[in-house]
Amino acid sequence: MQRLSSNTAFVAGILLLAGILAAALFADALAPHDPLLANPSVRHLRPFTPGHLLGTDELGRDIASRLLFGARLALLVAVVPTLIALAVGGLIGLAVGYAGGAWDSVVMRVFDVMFAFPGILLALGIGAALGPGLGSMIIAMVVVTIPAFGRVVRGSVLAAKEEQYVEAARALGYSHWRVAMVHILPNVLGPIVVYATLQTGRNVILAASLSFLGLGPQPPTPDWGQMLSTGRTALAIAAHVATIPGLAIMLLAIGFNLLGDGARDLLDPRMKRDQP
Amino acid sequence: MMSFVVRRLFQTVPVILGVTLVTFLLTQILPGDLADVLLGPAATEESRQQLRAALGLDRSLLVQYATYMSHLLSGDLGQSLVFAQPVATVLASRLANTALLAVSAIILASAVGIAIGTFVALKPDSFRDYGLTTAVLFLNSMPPFWLGLILILVFGLELRWLPVSGMDSAVGGGGLGDLAAHMVLPTLTLAAWSLAVIARMTRSALLDVINSDFVRTARSRGLSEARVILRHTLPNAMPPVITVIGLQAGFLLSGAVLTETVFSWPGIGLAMYQGISARDIPFIQGGILLLALMFVLVNFLVDALYAYVNPKIELQ
Amino acid sequence: MTMAPGRKPLLDVRGLSVAYGGPARQTHVVRDVSFSLGAGEALGVVGESGSGKTQTMLAVLRLLPRGGTVTAGSVRLDGCELLTLPAGEMRHVRGRGIAFVSQDALSALNPAMTVGAQIAEPLIFNEGMEEAAALARSAELLDHVGIPGAKARLSSYPHQLSGGMRQRVLIAMAISCRPKLLIADEPTTALDVTIQAQILRLIDDLRRELNMALVLISHDLGVVAGVADRVAIMYAGRIVETASAGAVFGHPVHPYTSALLAAKPRLDRPAERALRPIPGLPPDPAQPPPGCAFHPRCVHRIARCAEELPPLSPAGGDRLAACWLAGEFAESKAAAVNGTESNTHAGPVIAGTGEIAVEDLSVRFPVRTGVLRRVTGTVRAVDGVSLSIPRGETLGLVGESGSGKTTTGRALLGLAPMADGRIRYFGRDFAEIKNDPGVLPRLGQMVFQDPYGSLNPRMTVGAALGEVLSVHGLARETGVAARVNALLDSVGLRSEIALKHPHELSGGQRQRIAIARALAIEPRFIVCDEVVSALDVSIQGQIVNLLMELQRERGLTYLFISHDLSVVRHISHRIAVMYGGKVMETAPRNRLFTAPRHPYTHALLSAVPVADPKIERGRVRVEPRGEPPDPADPPPGCRFHRSCRFAVERCKTETPRLERTDDDHLVACHRWASDEVQTALTATAIPVGERP
């Protein structure tokens, strides 16, 4: 039952993400209009208006087209920071976790300081300091997520180091490199991949939040967070301009969360569920 | 337990120093420097140089940090561009509003989250369990400001039940009832994410404990189900939940920026949003520092509470 | 079932079946179990893991974990059916009618409540006592179960007590409402042998004193032998034999019972007797074999055994047995067991050149406390240990938890930091070779306790064995598969196993793989650290026999670390006894068991249970006082002096050195030669089997 339902979650997550990926890849072919083309004569059209399936925004741009092109950006800002932070944080975590000692303490204290900044605050500060834009947003996201990856990898490595098979490998005269790469890394990979998937889901929200605060890609780039932010001003007269991009953000995040939860249960049913 | 608390207090000091260092470093990653930001593109090179000298930007990094720290200790966080007042003054005037929102949200999230988590854990794999799993999935995949907009749309604009902006009504406002009405939607918005996380953690922590040997021991001695749950299960399930609540306090402090913006709630978060649009770096710096220090304080309190709940901690 | 006629049963269980999983895929773990128990009677329930013994008793208490249901049967206590009792009334049965003591006292006690609050709880809320009176009664109960300073202990939390103390607290809780029946589930399995003896005696005393009936669940026949009036043997969810303790141990009828008795080495039998492990594996509860579940492993099986399930039926006297051949076995002496008699040790096969010699080995671990994690103390895990193992022999290293035996073994392979001392490895100095990954691993290898943890879960058996060969350049690319097959063959496994992952194997198979991996490198010396303690009794013998066979074939030298004295006695040539990080005594195997010189050895030996009720009941046990020393703060002088009956002033200040008593027998005791000790040790001699 448990396995079946996590399987369903996994498959649902894959389908959802595949759909969004297809929309992003084929946006040129699928989009009925130019996402940047303003048309003041058709401002704030309701959804299901012929020609504008999801209506138009405050400048008369086609929302469906903007969503399709925005999917590219949304996937990019979710996945790229995850991959960079995973690579950097993961290597740091593996190195200090395996070696231990003074380096481990120093790196952990640095991470402690980074964790002292709640939620999006540090990203907000870095974004504001660097100035708004896609590049600084990605830098901000990478910097604030490195400590989390570092800690997760280090924790798994520390746990794996205590395993008897690691001590057995040492007794067999294997080199440190072999022990770390052949005996520890493959055994910690599963939880780390799961964590990275869930972090990608959180990155969707983080990126949307930074965009919403005006720190992301600037207009007229079709960006979901920014679409939501500008649509907010006309909430009373054309609610769909703000609510539809929000729905898109949520679907993307749900996709990654389903994938991550499903993978977690599939990879190791005994692994503790429901870690925050 | 006391020794643990004291030890924990000592661990906090380097973290606070690190936090000030990071907020200080924010001004170092600016394209150009602080003088460029403060004066804007129109200023002459001469006035820039003057300001640089006045701010000590021509000195070494170490000296600048020392200056920053000495100002900090005397309560000087610099001058805000947007508000044309000392940063500290603006923050002080808005701290209470943000705290009000954050505290009511954490209380709501903890109380309702623990209650729902317990309710679900008593019947795992039931309809209500799947309901919770689904609700958590949706709440944790939702941009928090979007939830705010939906609430405004439904309860403010459609049903017209609740006010959607600010802290009090312009006409006939004031009074506790009016404040409470204004608080409902922002508090709900802010609490939703944390509530989901806390409910999920409570559920899994309780399920871990419910299957433990000592709960079986309690049952085998004929104790009532209420005692088994309230005296044996819940207290032992609390430590991980308390940890999560502590972490959520951080999300609430930062989530305030988004929520206050959506609801125009006159707190630190809204001011920071205004600061971002105007590149008011000194104010953003000060706001981040204050919220981070509050988070450090909350975490310290949470650990002290943790030590109180968990007698084993003394041994570590 | 069996009960003295004329007595009304206290507990009467009929046709009880327990299953897990939904109706579609049900797995029965208890099948049609019936037994009854008179007031004050003690029943021992014995079986290996998965035999259903614990599940049966949890079903009686209606405390099955989630997913478990009783699918058939009835449970009556004093004639009252428990299975259909409303939940509220069932609560009144628990604690007052039936009390429960479980295995691991640390997890069975609420970590966030004081001992006093936990004991007093049902007194206050079920019996309606005043809080002060309930606490006073709790102190009485603690005193009753032998906890010194009972009143002060009321405010302790469970983690502040030792393992033995916690088990006593759990027992005090169980008897707090004067139950008619006490169910004790492996109450001593997690404890050291001297503590085990104390707890078993306590349970036995209490049941007589309070006239409680007792169900004692154990995997260890020896534990049951001393306490139970009657014994039930379970296999694959069914009772296969039940009778009075004397009849079961003296004249077992079911082939499984006799096989179980023969599978484990016993202190009351000559050490030279061969172990006769039960071949094969216990059945998978989801797919038990048809007919008698034991038939695939049974040497006496006939065609009928595979087709028809033998019912549990009378087999003479008060005995019931579930075997088609029970009638024959009941008349003959006993069901003969598998295997042939063979001498275990013919002495060292290869005349020893070189040896492992350890002089004054010390291992210390720093204790860090405070904000800055400063080193504030040292745990002296191993403190000046000297040993020597002639080539081709086995040195058994015994001791209780915390005695430093495992750390000693790890230090010998460079896995624990050596603070002091010298080790000579077949003529080479350990200091020179310990950092050379090409040398030390090829001299000494280790087989670990936990067969589940010591193999990399992501590697197939073939990959794991192949890795050793290729890292050490022991086989060319093309030869690896052939060498892997040869290694598997040498540990009695088929070559198909090479393709499997560890989780697809049984515990015994994994331990064989771990042995094969250690052998791959062709070491001369192997440290075996508790290699059989995680395995079922019927499998333990297979591994022990394998190790001894490999030693004979290859002239291997073993350090065999174990807390199980009977296994150590079986496999070792010489035995060293450790206590508090020091060696107390070392002697040739038979000498140590027949003529121990150290009071601690003597206490240890006297605590080992023997699977014979006649011996068990007649035994005089020597119980050491108090608890083993804290390795972070060891007492001055002899480590054992606080627990020793013979300690004098000198023992408190001066640490005794190992001295020779006769040739080859060393003892670290100031008083071993005194008349007092000599007489006392002889007077309470243990009925240890000697050479026939």
Side-chain angles (χ1 to χ4, degrees):
Chain A
M1 183 74 190
Q2 186 57 57
R3 262 191 115 75
L4 187 74
S5 67
S6 46
N7 244 327
T8 325
F10 190 72
V11 171
I14 288 207
L15 288 179
L16 199 51
L17 291 178
I20 295 172
L21 184 66
L25 286 178
F26 304 114
D28 293 301
L30 294 171
H33 298 273
D34 181 344
L36 304 181
L37 183 71
N39 183 356
S41 60
V42 290
R43 295 174 63 213
H44 288 151
L45 285 184
R46 303 256 141 207
F48 304 113
T49 313
H52 297 284
L53 186 64
L54 298 176
T56 57
D57 66 8
E58 68 284 351
L59 298 177
R61 293 175 296 194
D62 181 52
I63 292 180
S65 305
R66 287 180 69 73
L67 276 188
L68 287 171
F69 280 95
R72 293 179 173 179
L73 208 52
L75 282 169
L76 179 87
V77 296
V79 174
V80 169
T82 304
L83 292 179
I84 302 176
L86 171 64
V88 179
L91 280 179
I92 295 177
L94 181 63
V96 300
Y98 187 73
W103 273 109
D104 184 40
S105 314
V106 170
V107 170
M108 282 305 117
R109 292 299 82 74
V110 173
F111 285 176
D112 281 348
V113 169
M114 311 265 284
F115 278 116
F117 292 92
I120 67 166
L121 268 190
L122 189 57
L124 187 155
I126 296 172
L130 292 177
L134 181 61
S136 47
M137 179 162 97
I138 289 180
I139 293 174
M141 289 172 68
V142 168
V143 172
V144 301
T145 47
I146 281 177
F149 279 108
R151 229 188 226 187
V152 168
V153 174
R154 173 181 175 271
S156 315
V157 169
L158 284 185
K161 249 169 83 180
E162 296 300 310
E163 294 284 349
Q164 242 176 30
Y165 59 78
V166 172
E167 188 167 33
R170 284 183 51 211
L172 288 162
Y174 297 167
S175 64
H176 285 300
W177 179 255
R178 171 171 284 277
V179 173
M181 290 299 159
V182 178
H183 294 274
I184 292 183
L185 192 61
N187 283 296
V188 301
L189 221 48
I192 291 164
V193 168
V194 169
Y195 183 82
T197 314
L198 294 172
Q199 181 59 44
T200 312
R202 286 191 287 265
N203 274 355
V204 172
I205 310 287
L206 176 59
S209 304
L210 292 174
S211 259
F212 177 80
L213 294 172
L215 291 170
Q218 296 301 298
T221 318
D223 172 86
W224 292 353
Q226 181 220 114
M227 287 165 73
L228 205 166
S229 175
T230 44
R232 182 165 76 92
T233 46
L235 198 62
I237 50 171
H240 67 279
V241 181
T243 49
I244 288 174
L247 216 52
I249 295 169
M250 187 164 90
L251 282 180
L252 184 57
I254 285 181
F256 283 114
N257 284 337
L258 282 175
L259 194 67
D261 282 341
R264 169 164 53 192
D265 294 351
L266 287 180
L267 272 176
D268 186 359
R270 289 158 305 158
M271 202 172 121
K272 253 199 163 133
R273 287 183 69 201
D274 299 349
Q275 295 277 307
Chain B
M1 187 198 127
M2 257 344 268
S3 74
F4 170 78
V5 171
V6 170
R7 206 162 73 219
R8 186 65 185 70
L9 197 61
F10 271 107
Q11 284 167 356
T12 307
V13 175
V15 172
I16 290 178
L17 274 177
V19 166
T20 60
L21 183 64
V22 171
T23 44
F24 163 72
L25 286 176
L26 283 180
T27 59
Q28 300 297 316
I29 60 168
L30 293 172
D33 62 24
L34 194 57
D36 297 330
V37 171
L38 294 180
L39 295 173
T44 63
E45 187 55 33
E46 202 176 322
S47 56
R48 277 171 213 269
Q49 290 302 344
Q50 273 176 2
L51 185 60
R52 276 195 189 113
L55 290 173
L57 298 183
D58 47 358
R59 315 282 288 277
S60 77
L61 211 58
L62 203 64
V63 175
Q64 287 190 47
Y65 179 56
T67 320
Y68 175 74
M69 281 307 287
S70 71
H71 286 169
L72 210 62
L73 288 174
S74 59
D76 176 9
L77 293 170
Q79 190 74 10
S80 163
L81 298 181
V82 180
F83 301 98
Q85 281 179 47
V87 171
T89 314
V90 183
L91 289 176
S93 68
R94 289 170 170 247
L95 180 59
N97 292 349
T98 296
L100 177 65
L101 206 55
V103 169
S104 36
I106 195 74
I107 291 173
L108 178 75
S110 310
V112 180
I114 291 174
I116 291 181
T118 310
F119 175 70
V120 168
L122 293 179
K123 253 196 175 175
D125 292 327
S126 61
F127 178 71
R128 56 169 97 148
D129 195 3
Y130 294 121
L132 176 76
T133 309
T134 314
V136 166
L137 176 67
F138 275 84
L139 281 175
N140 283 349
S141 303
M142 208 179 266
F145 43 91
W146 184 68
L147 175 65
L149 291 184
I150 299 290
L151 291 178
I152 290 179
L153 207 56
V154 174
F155 295 101
L157 302 178
E158 290 295 324
L159 299 172
R160 299 194 169 277
W161 285 355
L162 289 164
V164 298
S165 169
M167 280 184 80
D168 42 39
S169 307
V171 184
L176 270 181
D178 189 43
L179 177 65
H182 279 82
M183 275 177 65
V184 174
L185 294 183
T187 306
L188 270 179
T189 305
L190 193 53
W193 171 292
S194 303
L195 194 155
V197 174
I198 292 169
R200 181 155 81 157
M201 193 65 207
T202 306
R203 170 194 174 275
S204 65
L206 269 175
L207 282 183
D208 273 357
V209 176
I210 270 180
N211 293 323
S212 67
D213 282 2
F214 63 82
V215 170
R216 189 174 68 189
T217 305
R219 291 216 170 99
S220 79
R221 305 179 71 208
L223 296 172
S224 70
E225 200 55 25
R227 272 200 83 71
V228 169
I229 297 295
L230 294 177
R231 190 71 185 87
H232 292 267
T233 312
L234 263 179
N236 283 293
M238 276 302 111
V241 177
I242 290 173
T243 306
V244 162
I245 291 177
L247 291 173
Q248 291 310 309
F251 284 104
L252 291 183
L253 288 171
S254 67
V257 180
L258 297 165
T259 311
E260 290 178 6
T261 304
V262 172
F263 290 96
S264 305
W265 181 268
I268 294 173
L270 181 63
M272 282 177 73
Y273 173 67
Q274 292 159 338
I276 289 172
S277 353
R279 274 181 77 65
D280 185 352
I281 298 297
F283 186 77
I284 294 173
Q285 204 184 7
I288 290 176
L289 180 65
L290 178 66
L291 292 178
L293 292 182
M294 282 171 67
F295 185 40
V296 171
L297 177 73
V298 168
N299 268 329
F300 170 71
L301 294 177
V302 164
D303 281 356
L305 181 65
Y306 194 101
Y308 177 75
V309 172
N310 188 355
K312 251 195 266 187
I313 205 134
E314 220 175 326
L315 282 190
Q316 293 175 349
Chain C
M1 168 186 103
T2 53
M3 218 193 52
R7 281 162 76 187
K8 205 167 150 274
L10 172 71
L11 179 72
D12 192 32
V13 175
R14 292 288 130 209
L16 187 70
S17 293
V18 175
Y20 280 82
R25 277 193 52 185
Q26 245 179 8
T27 303
H28 271 90
V29 292
V30 175
R31 295 160 188 270
D32 192 21
V33 163
S34 303
F35 65 93
S36 60
L37 193 62
E41 202 180 3
L43 171 71
V45 180
V46 178
E48 297 178 275
S49 56
S51 62
K53 53 194 192 303
T54 299
Q55 297 300 323
T56 304
M57 296 309 153
L58 290 179
V60 166
L61 277 158
R62 283 174 56 190
L63 285 175
L64 285 171
R66 246 164 48 76
T69 44
V70 173
T71 52
S74 103
V75 174
R76 287 171 182 277
L77 184 74
D78 273 336
C80 166
E81 175 64 51
L82 298 185
L83 293 179
T84 52
L85 211 59
E89 285 173 50
M90 187 63 206
R91 280 207 292 113
H92 290 286
V93 172
R94 295 191 195 123
R96 290 181 225 185
I98 312 176
F100 182 68
V101 171
S102 66
Q103 177 175 154
D104 178 5
L106 181 59
S107 63
L109 292 169
N110 186 337
M113 268 171 99
T114 60
V115 163
Q118 290 189 63
I119 303 178
E121 210 179 2
L123 299 177
I124 299 170
F125 295 95
N126 294 358
E127 312 283 322
M129 278 168 86
E130 292 291 322
E131 192 176 332
L135 281 174
R137 172 87 184 110
S138 303
E140 276 171 42
L141 283 162
L142 283 182
D143 192 53
H144 202 152
V145 297
I147 290 186
K151 252 212 174 86
R153 279 296 175 201
L154 288 178
S155 53
S156 297
Y157 284 96
H159 68 268
Q160 296 165 327
L161 304 177
S162 69
M165 289 288 182
R166 283 195 287 261
Q167 201 66 46
R168 286 175 193 269
V169 170
L170 205 57
I171 292 169
M173 284 165 62
I175 60 169
S176 62
C177 296
R178 298 194 166 270
K180 295 175 192 154
L181 166 65
L182 178 70
I183 298 178
D185 181 12
E186 304 262 12
T188 60
T189 304
L191 303 174
D192 279 323
V193 64
T194 51
I195 310 291
Q196 162 170 291
Q198 296 173 9
I199 298 292
L200 286 176
R201 194 174 52 90
L202 173 69
I203 291 178
D204 198 38
D205 288 351
L206 285 173
R207 79 151 172 121
R208 286 171 204 286
E209 203 181 309
L210 306 174
N211 194 28
M212 280 188 302
L214 172 70
V215 173
L216 179 65
I217 305 173
S218 181
H219 68 284
D220 186 342
L221 283 158
V223 163
V224 163
V227 179
D229 303 321
R230 286 186 307 118
V231 175
I233 310 284
M234 287 189 75
Y235 187 79
R238 294 180 192 276
I239 293 180
V240 294
E241 176 164 7
T242 173
S244 67
V248 167
F249 287 99
H251 182 187
V253 156
H254 197 284
Y256 175 66
T257 314
S258 1
L260 204 57
L261 279 164
K264 188 133 170 73
R266 288 168 60 166
L267 287 190
D268 60 327
R269 299 280 161 82
E272 288 76 10
R273 266 169 64 117
L275 282 190
R276 284 158 307 194
I278 308 175
L281 299 172
D284 174 4
Q287 291 160 313
C292 169
F294 186 62
H295 85 261
R297 306 174 78 188
C298 181
V299 282
H300 303 289
R301 64 172 172 265
I302 53 174
R304 194 179 182 190
C305 301
E307 290 152 13
E308 256 182 284
L309 178 72
L312 191 63
S313 35
D318 68 343
R319 186 196 309 270
L320 298 176
C323 177
W324 291 121
L325 300 170
E328 290 172 38
F329 294 140
E331 279 164 33
S332 70
K333 179 90 175 68
V337 287
N338 321 324
T340 48
E341 296 268 346
S342 79
N343 219 356
T344 55
H345 282 301
V349 177
I350 297 172
T353 51
E355 52 170 10
I356 304 277
V358 180
E359 261 175 72
D360 265 333
L361 173 74
S362 292
V363 179
R364 301 187 194 116
F365 297 108
V367 181
R368 289 171 197 277
T369 48
V371 187
L372 304 170
R373 315 305 297 156
R374 271 180 318 229
V375 178
T376 52
T378 334
V379 171
R380 296 163 175 272
V382 178
D383 196 9
V385 160
S386 299
L387 300 166
S388 80
I389 319 174
R391 186 168 181 186
E393 290 201 356
T394 301
L395 176 70
L397 192 56
V398 298
E400 300 180 276
S401 48
S403 62
K405 55 189 192 306
T406 291
T407 312
T408 303
R410 293 177 69 239
L412 284 183
L413 297 177
L415 297 172
M418 197 167 115
D420 245 322
R422 280 177 28 147
I423 304 174
R424 305 242 353 132
Y425 246 79
F426 306 106
R428 303 181 68 169
D429 191 346
F430 181 75
E432 286 164 19
I433 57 172
K434 71 175 175 191
N435 289 323
D436 189 339
V439 176
L440 183 56
R442 304 182 80 154
L443 288 176
Q445 274 303 315
M446 185 146 183
V447 179
F448 295 87
Q449 167 172 15
D450 176 12
Y452 295 83
S454 63
L455 299 173
N456 184 339
R458 306 258 161 204
M459 273 188 161
T460 62
V461 168
L465 295 178
E467 185 185 26
V468 189
L469 298 171
S470 56
V471 166
H472 287 278
L474 294 169
R476 297 246 170 265
E477 200 90 349
T478 46
V480 170
R483 289 276 291 125
V484 167
N485 285 347
L487 279 170
L488 289 174
D489 186 57
S490 66
V491 295
L493 293 173
R494 284 193 302 268
S495 53
E496 298 97 89
I497 288 224
L499 299 175
K500 302 214 169 181
H501 281 95
H503 70 263
E504 298 169 279
L505 306 175
S506 70
Q509 285 173 326
R510 286 184 222 210
Q511 206 56 299
R512 285 173 192 266
I513 302 293
I515 293 170
R517 187 177 55 180
L519 289 177
I521 212 166
E522 299 192 340
R524 291 196 240 168
F525 171 54
I526 297 183
V527 174
C528 303
D529 183 13
E530 300 273 12
V531 288
V532 297
S533 16
L535 305 174
D536 271 327
V537 173
S538 71
I539 308 297
Q540 283 184 2
Q542 297 176 5
I543 300 294
V544 167
N545 281 358
L546 172 67
L547 285 171
M548 295 175 78
E549 206 179 294
L550 290 168
Q551 182 172 50
R552 273 197 298 273
E553 284 168 9
R554 304 177 177 223
L556 291 165
T557 307
Y558 290 146
L559 178 67
F560 191 90
I561 300 167
S562 179
H563 69 281
D564 186 333
L565 281 123
S566 48
V567 173
V568 168
R569 172 169 172 262
H570 184 81
I571 198 171
S572 309
H573 298 84
R574 292 174 55 79
I575 292 170
V577 179
M578 283 189 75
Y579 183 85
K582 288 193 172 293
V583 172
M584 294 283 136
E585 182 164 14
T586 155
R589 178 246 312 259
N590 284 331
R591 178 83 60 77
L592 187 94
F593 282 88
T594 49
R597 293 294 188 200
H598 199 288
Y600 172 64
T601 311
H602 188 250
L604 196 63
L605 295 180
S606 87
V608 178
V610 170
D612 184 333
K614 274 179 264 154
I615 296 178
E616 274 298 303
R617 302 222 163 128
R619 269 173 95 175
V620 181
R621 286 217 149 90
V622 191
E623 288 177 5
R625 294 189 296 245
E627 308 270 334
D630 175 3
D633 181 25
C638 175
R639 295 281 190 273
F640 187 59
H641 81 255
R642 286 181 191 158
S643 304
C644 183
R645 306 184 275 158
F646 308 109
V648 292
E649 272 315 304
R650 187 182 173 204
C651 303
K652 295 177 188 167
T653 51
E654 193 183 326
T655 309
R657 305 279 309 173
L658 274 177
E659 55 186 277
R660 202 167 289 277
T661 65
D662 328 77
D663 55 306
D664 239 16
H665 193 155
L666 303 167
V667 61
C669 178
H670 294 308
R671 306 215 59 217
W672 73 270
S674 69
D675 286 345
E676 188 194 351
V677 174
Q678 296 263 13
T679 330
L681 264 52
T682 327
T684 54
I686 305 131
V688 163
E690 300 199 40
R691 236 174 258 270

